Amino acid sequence: MQKGQEIAALDGDKGPEQHAIEVGHVEPADGKGKDIQKERVAVAEEVQKKSRRVAALDAFRGLTIVIMILVDDGGGAYERIDHSPWNGCTLADFVMPFFLFIVGVAIAFALKRVPYIGAAVKKIAIRTLKMLFWGVLLQGGYSHAPDDLSYGVDMKKIRWCGILQRIALVYFVVALIEVFTTKVRPTTVRSGPYAIFDAYRWQWLGGLIAFVIYIVTTFSLYVPDWSFVYHNDGDVNDGKQFTVQCGVRASLDQACNAVGYVDRQVWGINHLYTQPVWIRSKDCTFSSPNMGPLRADAPAWCLAPFEPEGLLSSISAILSGTIGIHYGHVLIHFKTHKERLKHWLLMGFSLLVLGIILHFTKAIPINKQLYSFSYVCFTGGAAGIVLSAFYILIDVWGLRTPFLFLEWIGMNAMLVFVLGAQGILAAFVNGWYYESPDSSLVHWIVKHVFVNVWHSQRLRTLLYVIFCEIVFWGVAAGILHKLGIYWKL
C-alpha cells in the first residue's frame, strides 16, 4: 500500500491528475532563460487551472472491477452471467477485454511524453515483472483464498497463466510500441476521418502483426490426438487417462483447437486451468448452461484442462489493448466533446457490428476462451460504447455523484482486485475463527444476515456480493481516495 499519486497499469498510471485534458502549449519566442522559465510557469499554472480529470475513465475501470466481483462470486448461483461455456458472450466475458481496453487508454496518457526512452523501458519492464509475479502468486495455485486457509502449490501443477499475466503481456507490448515510436508521434493531428489512424500507424501495425500471428496459427496449425490424466480426489474418474482424437486443422471446437494445442506444448498439460467452463456446455451436461452431472455419453475432453488465458489467445488480446490506446489518442488530440464522441461511437458501433456479423455468419464465432477476432471486435466495440456513455453522463452532463463509488474503485482498482476479487481480505478475516474455521466473522454474517433471513441460496449469494463486497469496497475505496492512498505496482 502506498500513499502517492501513481498506481498500477490496471489502475491507470497516475493518481488524481492522471487523465487531465491538455489545454495547450506555448513555446517561448525569444529563447532567453528567464523568459522561458516564466512562460513555462505561466503555462503550467494555466493548465492546472483549466485542466480537469476525465472521470469517465475511472468509472469505466471501477465498473469492470464491480462486474468481475459480481460474476466471480455470484456466477455460481446465477450461472447465466458466468462465462459462456464456449461460443457466445455473457456478462462475465466482458471483464477481460474491458480491462485490456482501459489499460490501453491509460498507456496513451502515461506515455504522452517520453523524455528518456531507456528509463521508460525500464519502468515498463519492472511493472510487467511485478504483474507477472502477482499473477502467479494469486492464480498459480499458491493462494487458496478465501475459504481454504492453507497455502502452497505443487510446482509440477502450478498454473503459469492468469488474468494479471495476460494484462502484463498486453501492457508490455502496447507500451513498448508507444515508447519506441515517440519520435514519430505527432503533436497535432491533421483533420480527416483517417488522420488519427495514420498518425499512430505503428501502433496499429503492432496490432496487425498480433492478428496475423493468431489467425495464421489458429487456422493452419495441425492438432494431433492428445491424452491427459484426470485428477480430482474422490471422483470416480480420478487417476484415469483419457485420449482425445483430433488430427485436424482450423478447428474452433473445444477439443481440437490450436489455442489449446499451443498451451499444451508450451506450458505442459499439468500447468493448465483444471476447471474450464466448457464442462457446462451441451456436449457435457443436459443442465447447460448451468452446472450439472456429466452426460453418460460426454466426450473425454469435458474433463480435460484448458487455459483460458493462454499464450496464443493472449497474443490476440493485444488487439484489445490496441483499440484502447487508440481511444486514448483520440481523447488526447480531439479537444471537443463532439469530436471525441463522434469518433468513439462510430468506431465502437462499427466494431460491434463486425463482431456480430462474423459470429452469426459462423465465419468466426464470438468466443472468449479462444479470444477470437469476432470476440475482440464485439467486446472492443462494447467497451468504446460504454466509455462514451460514461463520458456523456459524467464529463459532459456533469452527473458525477451517482458514479462516485465506481470512480473510487477505479482509482484503486489494483487494491480491490487483489484484496476483494481474489479474496485475500476475506481469507484474512476467515483466519480469525473460534474453535472451527466455520465460526469466523464472514461465516457468521453469511448465516445470520443472509441465509436465515432470506432463506434462498441464490438470493443470499447475490445480496452478499452486492452489500458485503461491492458496497464495502466502494466505501473503502472512497475513504482511501479521501486519504490520498493508492496502491502502486
Side-chain angles (χ1 to χ4, degrees):
M1 186 91 61
Q2 175 173 331
K3 185 173 182 176
Q5 297 300 315
E6 194 172 13
I7 47 183
L10 182 61
D11 303 308
D13 283 272
K14 296 182 183 176
E17 276 65 54
Q18 174 191 6
H19 302 303
I21 303 175
E22 293 183 11
V23 297
H25 179 71
V26 180
E27 291 292 343
D30 54 12
K32 296 180 181 179
K34 292 183 179 180
D35 291 338
I36 292 174
Q37 184 65 24
K38 288 180 180 179
E39 194 153 6
R40 285 178 177 173
V41 170
V43 170
E45 290 176 350
E46 185 70 11
V47 169
Q48 188 173 8
K49 289 179 182 179
K50 294 185 179 181
S51 65
R52 63 185 179 87
R53 185 180 180 85
V54 181
L57 300 179
D58 289 318
F60 183 94
R61 189 184 297 111
L63 175 68
T64 305
I65 289 288
V66 167
I67 294 175
M68 182 180 193
I69 294 174
L70 177 63
V71 298
D72 279 358
D73 296 337
Y78 296 88
E79 291 177 320
R80 290 184 181 275
I81 68 172
D82 202 352
H83 292 291
S84 174
W86 197 241
N87 294 334
C89 192
T90 63
L91 184 62
D93 294 323
F94 287 102
V95 173
M96 174 57 74
F98 277 20
F99 270 139
L100 300 178
F101 175 88
I102 205 66
V103 165
V105 177
I107 290 172
F109 278 91
L111 301 177
K112 282 190 298 186
R113 299 184 182 90
V114 183
Y116 305 104
I117 292 179
V121 171
K122 180 180 178 181
K123 183 178 179 181
I124 291 168
I126 292 174
R127 178 166 291 172
T128 300
L129 291 174
K130 287 180 178 179
M131 283 192 283
L132 289 173
F133 168 77
W134 277 101
V136 173
L137 183 66
L138 293 172
Q139 294 193 301
Y142 182 86
S143 171
H144 302 162
D147 296 323
D148 192 339
L149 298 181
S150 64
Y151 63 90
V153 60
D154 182 352
M155 292 300 293
K156 290 183 178 181
K157 300 178 182 178
I158 188 171
R159 181 188 176 201
W160 295 114
C161 300
I163 294 172
L164 282 179
Q165 295 93 310
R166 171 168 285 176
I167 293 175
L169 173 65
V170 174
Y171 167 78
F172 183 74
V173 173
V174 175
L176 282 186
I177 295 175
E178 190 78 351
V179 166
F180 284 117
T181 59
T182 183
K183 293 183 179 179
V184 298
R185 284 194 310 221
T187 54
T188 59
V189 175
R190 68 180 186 273
S191 61
Y194 307 109
I196 189 71
F197 294 96
D198 180 63
Y200 290 95
R201 55 189 175 277
W202 292 105
Q203 283 76 0
W204 285 107
L205 178 61
L208 176 63
I209 292 173
F211 167 76
V212 170
I213 292 174
Y214 175 81
I215 290 295
V216 170
T217 305
T218 298
F219 289 97
S220 67
L221 188 64
Y222 177 78
V223 180
D225 297 348
W226 52 285
S227 61
F228 67 97
V229 177
Y230 181 66
H231 298 286
N232 187 4
D233 293 339
D235 192 281
V236 294
N237 293 308
D238 183 38
K240 292 183 179 180
Q241 180 169 323
F242 297 89
T243 298
V244 181
Q245 296 183 346
C246 291
V248 297
R249 300 180 193 272
S251 173
L252 298 178
D253 65 13
Q254 295 94 322
C256 303
N257 59 80
V259 171
Y261 176 65
V262 169
D263 289 326
R264 291 192 293 272
Q265 297 301 307
V266 173
W267 312 116
I269 197 165
N270 291 328
H271 298 282
L272 306 184
Y273 187 55
T274 57
Q275 297 173 316
V277 294
W278 67 29
I279 200 170
R280 294 190 285 109
S281 65
K282 293 180 180 179
D283 292 317
C284 299
T285 177
F286 289 114
S287 302
S288 181
N290 299 319
M291 183 70 74
L294 282 178
R295 295 171 47 153
D297 59 345
W301 54 260
C302 288
L303 298 174
F306 180 84
E307 184 51 67
E309 277 83 41
L311 179 60
L312 186 58
S313 55
S314 292
I315 291 176
S316 176
I318 292 172
L319 282 167
S320 294
T322 303
I323 295 171
I325 201 170
H326 177 76
Y327 272 70
H329 292 151
V330 169
L331 190 57
I332 290 171
H333 289 286
F334 294 4
K335 300 304 180 184
T336 68
H337 298 319
K338 182 179 179 181
E339 288 179 312
R340 290 168 178 163
L341 289 169
K342 179 181 178 181
H343 190 94
W344 281 354
L345 289 171
L346 180 61
M347 185 171 182
F349 280 108
S350 298
L351 287 171
L352 195 73
V353 170
L354 177 58
I356 292 173
I357 291 173
L358 289 173
H359 178 75
F360 284 103
T361 58
K362 298 184 179 180
I364 302 178
I366 294 174
N367 189 298
K368 188 270 179 186
Q369 308 303 313
L370 300 178
Y371 220 97
S372 63
F373 180 63
S374 57
Y375 174 73
V376 172
C377 295
F378 182 75
T379 55
I385 294 170
V386 171
L387 177 61
S388 300
F390 273 135
Y391 185 76
I392 293 172
L393 292 170
I394 299 174
D395 295 286
V396 179
W397 293 352
L399 301 176
R400 191 168 183 178
T401 302
F403 304 99
L404 275 177
F405 84 101
L406 291 180
E407 284 189 52
W408 295 335
I409 293 175
M411 291 177 186
N412 242 322
M414 194 65 192
L415 181 144
V416 179
F417 173 81
V418 173
L419 296 184
Q422 295 301 303
I424 300 302
L425 180 62
F428 174 79
V429 175
N430 284 339
W432 305 88
Y433 58 86
Y434 186 77
E435 292 185 346
S436 72
D438 292 334
S439 299
S440 68
L441 177 61
V442 172
H443 287 88
W444 186 92
I445 292 174
V446 170
K447 179 179 179 180
H448 293 281
V449 177
F450 294 99
V451 175
N452 291 347
V453 173
W454 298 101
H455 302 289
S456 170
Q457 176 71 19
R458 299 182 75 194
L459 183 58
R460 75 92 173 167
T461 298
L462 178 63
L463 292 175
Y464 176 83
V465 171
I466 292 175
F467 291 103
C468 293
E469 296 190 55
I470 295 174
V471 172
F472 170 82
W473 283 111
V475 173
I479 294 173
L480 293 174
H481 170 60
K482 295 299 181 183
L483 296 174
I485 298 175
Y486 307 93
W487 189 17
K488 164 191 172 183
L489 273 187

